[in-house]
Amino acid sequence: MVALDINEHRLSSGAWLSKLKGATGPLVGLLALCVFLSLSTDTFLSVRNGLNILDQITVLGIMAVGMTFVILIGGIDLSVGSALALAMMVMGWTANVAGLPLPVGIAFALVASGVSGLIVGLLVTQFRVPAFIATLAMMSAARGVANMITDGQQIVGFPDWFMMLAIDRHFGVLTATVFLMLAVVLAAWLFLHFRSEGRMLYAVGGNPEVARLAGINVPLVTIAVYVVSAVLAGLAGIVLAARLDSVQPSSGLGYELDTIAAVVIGGTSLSGGAGGIGGTLIGVLIIGVLRNGLNLLNVSPFLQQVIIGIVIVLAVGAETIRRRRA
C-alpha cells in the first residue's frame, strides 16, 4: 500500500509538472525582466508600482482568459476589443440616458456582448465561416453599433460607488477590480483542470474530428467558447469604465492584439490543444511589466510597440522550438 501511495504521488507530481511545463519559459522571462527593470530604475521594485501594475492589467487579464479558451479550441477572436466597447456603450446609455439603475445597465451590457459572441459562434459552426473572417466582421459590426448608440459621443459620470471599485484598495492593497480579475483567472483555471467540460476544449483544439467521434458536441463547445470570450470582454469593458468614469465607442482599439499576444506569450499554441490559464496570467504580467518598465525608462510609445512585437516573435519562436524538441 505504501508503494502504491508513493507511485500515485509520483504520477500526481508528474501531472502537475506537465501542466506547468508550458509556462516555465514565460515565467523565467518574467523574472528576468523584473530583475533587469529593478536594476535599471529606482521605482520599479516599490510596492506602489507593483500595485499600479496590477491595476493596469485588470482589463487585459479578464479578456485574456476568454481568448485562452478560444485559442485552446484552435480559434481566434478579433472582435473582443469591439465587444468591450459595445458593452461599455450599452451600459452607459442604459444607466445615464435611459435612467435605469446601473446594475441593470451592467446586465444589459453583458447580454449585448454575449449576443455578439453568439453570432460569431453561429457563423463559425453553422455557416462554416472561418473564425478569422467571422470575428473580423463582428469587430467592425460591434464597433459600428457602439458608435450608433450615442452617435459617437462619450458618456461621462457614474455613481461614486462604481468609480470606487477601481480606486478603493481593500485592506490597503487590492482594488475590487483586481479581486474580480483574480477571481476570473482562478475560476477559469479550476474549470480547465477539474471539469470535464474544460478538458473538452483541449480535445476540440487537438483534433475536432476525434473529439466528435468521442461524443463531444464540437459545435456547441465552439459556440459556448465564443460567447464566454465576448462576455468576458464585456466584463472587462465594465472594469475599464469604472477606471475611467466614462465610456466612449473608441475604447478597446488594439486590445484584441494585446490579448492574443498575452495568450501566445504565455505558451498557448495558436494551433490549439495546448496551453493554459497559468501561462496566460504570466503573459499578461509580462506585457504589463514590460509596458510599465518602458514608461519608467521614458521609452517612446511607438518604440514600445516595436519592442512588444519583438517579444511576441521571440515567444512564439521559442515555443515552436520547444515543441519540436519535445
Side-chain angles (χ1 to χ4, degrees):
M1 291 294 293
V2 174
L4 180 61
D5 290 340
I6 292 174
N7 288 333
E8 288 179 349
H9 175 71
R10 286 176 178 170
L11 287 172
S12 177
S13 300
W16 280 105
L17 287 173
S18 110
K19 289 176 183 178
L20 292 172
K21 185 178 179 182
T24 302
L27 179 59
V28 171
L30 175 61
L31 294 176
L33 180 61
C34 290
V35 170
F36 170 76
L37 293 174
S38 299
L39 297 175
S40 303
T41 66
D42 297 329
T43 57
F44 175 77
L45 212 53
S46 65
V47 173
R48 180 178 180 181
N49 188 59
L51 295 178
N52 285 337
I53 291 174
L54 287 178
D55 289 335
Q56 291 162 5
I57 66 171
T58 50
V59 174
L60 179 60
I62 293 172
M63 295 176 71
V65 169
M67 187 64 74
T68 302
F69 290 168
V70 172
I71 294 180
L72 277 177
I73 65 169
I76 198 73
D77 192 348
L78 300 177
S79 66
V80 289
S82 297
L84 175 149
L86 175 63
M88 290 178 72
M89 298 314 297
V90 168
M91 182 193 73
W93 185 88
T94 304
N96 285 28
V97 179
L100 296 176
L102 185 55
V104 175
I106 292 174
F108 274 106
L110 296 178
V111 169
S113 59
V115 169
S116 71
L118 175 63
I119 294 172
V120 168
L122 291 173
L123 288 174
V124 171
T125 58
Q126 304 303 313
F127 296 93
R128 307 298 181 187
V129 178
F132 181 89
I133 301 300
T135 57
L136 187 64
M138 182 53 65
M139 178 176 71
S140 178
R143 182 74 61 182
V145 173
N147 277 281
M148 289 170 59
I149 290 174
T150 59
D151 197 24
Q153 302 299 310
Q154 68 172 349
I155 298 175
V156 298
F158 291 98
D160 289 341
W161 66 264
F162 181 66
M163 185 175 60
M164 293 306 294
L165 294 175
I167 297 176
D168 189 20
R169 296 192 182 279
H170 298 275
F171 311 108
V173 182
L174 301 180
T175 62
T177 52
V178 173
F179 276 118
L180 176 61
M181 179 195 70
L182 295 176
V184 169
V185 169
L186 178 60
W189 184 85
L190 292 172
F191 172 76
L192 286 179
H193 291 295
F194 297 103
R195 296 288 300 179
S196 61
E197 293 86 352
R199 292 189 288 274
M200 287 180 185
L201 304 190
Y202 290 95
V204 172
N207 192 316
E209 182 60 21
V210 172
R212 185 187 68 80
L213 294 175
I216 296 175
N217 190 331
V218 175
L220 181 60
V221 170
T222 302
I223 292 171
V225 163
Y226 279 106
V227 170
V228 169
S229 177
V231 169
L232 288 178
L235 182 62
I238 292 165
V239 169
L240 182 59
R243 292 191 62 197
L244 301 177
D245 193 30
S246 66
V247 296
Q248 51 189 353
S250 61
S251 296
L253 286 172
Y255 272 42
E256 54 279 334
L257 301 181
D258 285 351
T259 306
I260 294 171
V263 176
V264 172
I265 290 173
T268 298
S269 173
L270 281 171
S271 58
I277 295 298
T280 293
L281 180 59
I282 294 172
V284 170
L285 285 170
I286 287 175
I287 290 182
V289 167
L290 185 59
R291 284 209 165 127
N292 176 265
L294 292 174
N295 286 330
L296 293 177
L297 293 172
N298 295 317
V299 176
S300 163
F302 306 114
L303 182 56
Q304 288 186 28
Q305 293 299 321
V306 174
I307 294 173
I308 291 175
I310 293 172
V311 170
I312 294 170
V313 171
L314 292 175
V316 174
E319 182 65 15
T320 301
I321 293 172
R322 186 188 72 81
R323 291 188 185 281
R324 286 178 179 175
R325 290 179 177 177

